[in-house]
Amino acid sequence: MAKGLDKHKARIGALSAFGKDLARRAKGHCEMCGATDVKLHTYEVEPVADEPEFEHCLLACDVCSEQMDNPKRIDPDHWRCLNSAVWSEVPAVQVAAVHQLKRIDQPWARELEEQLYLQPEIEAWLASID
């Protein structure tokens, strides 16, 4: 059991090393909903590699992180912010946003999904997590 804990702590440490660069990229906002003046933390976008990768990380607020990790707790109104996030130039943000959008059973979500044009590499990434 100690090995698993040590491994987890090492991963958290590696992820925290991305903090400054992620904060600079995100400009202090949640990269999913745009929230400011809230606690932000590193969120890994699946699939998660053995070693943390900066390109698979984004900064997310507690609300977004909780709902991305627990699809049964999704508040569809919170995710109207996806209108911006699905067009992000950051691949990890775009993948996480589209993945979350597909989980929302609302007419506005279906309409937004129909408007999407995704680059082949984004489609491939999404296919690897669905």
Side-chain angles (χ1 to χ4, degrees), residues 9-122:
K9 285 182 179 180
R11 186 171 197 88
I12 297 299
L15 288 171
S16 68
F18 299 148
K20 286 183 182 178
D21 291 330
L22 287 170
R24 206 172 295 122
R25 181 181 80 193
K27 298 178 182 152
H29 295 79
C30 172
E31 291 185 279
M32 293 297 287
C33 72
T36 58
D37 299 325
V38 295
K39 181 180 174 187
L40 300 172
H41 51 88
T42 305
Y43 184 88
E44 285 187 278
V45 180
E46 295 178 12
V48 176
D50 290 338
E51 292 296 319
E53 299 175 9
F54 180 79
E55 295 78 19
H56 275 243
C57 294
L58 58 90
L59 273 187
C61 67
D62 288 336
V63 173
C64 288
S65 295
E66 173 69 22
Q67 291 185 36
M68 287 189 291
D69 285 340
N70 299 293
K72 292 180 180 178
R73 295 185 183 167
I74 289 177
D75 172 11
D77 288 330
H78 174 76
W79 292 104
R80 290 188 177 264
C81 58
L82 293 177
N83 283 314
S84 298
V86 295
W87 302 111
S88 176
E89 292 180 11
V90 177
V93 175
Q94 188 176 26
V95 167
V98 173
H99 184 67
Q100 194 66 4
L101 181 67
K102 290 180 178 194
R103 294 173 161 180
I104 300 169
D105 187 22
Q106 295 285 315
W108 64 264
R110 295 296 68 81
E111 289 174 25
L112 180 56
E113 195 174 349
E114 289 173 9
Q115 296 172 14
L116 291 177
Y117 170 77
L118 302 173
Q119 296 294 326
E121 59 272 10
I122 299 297

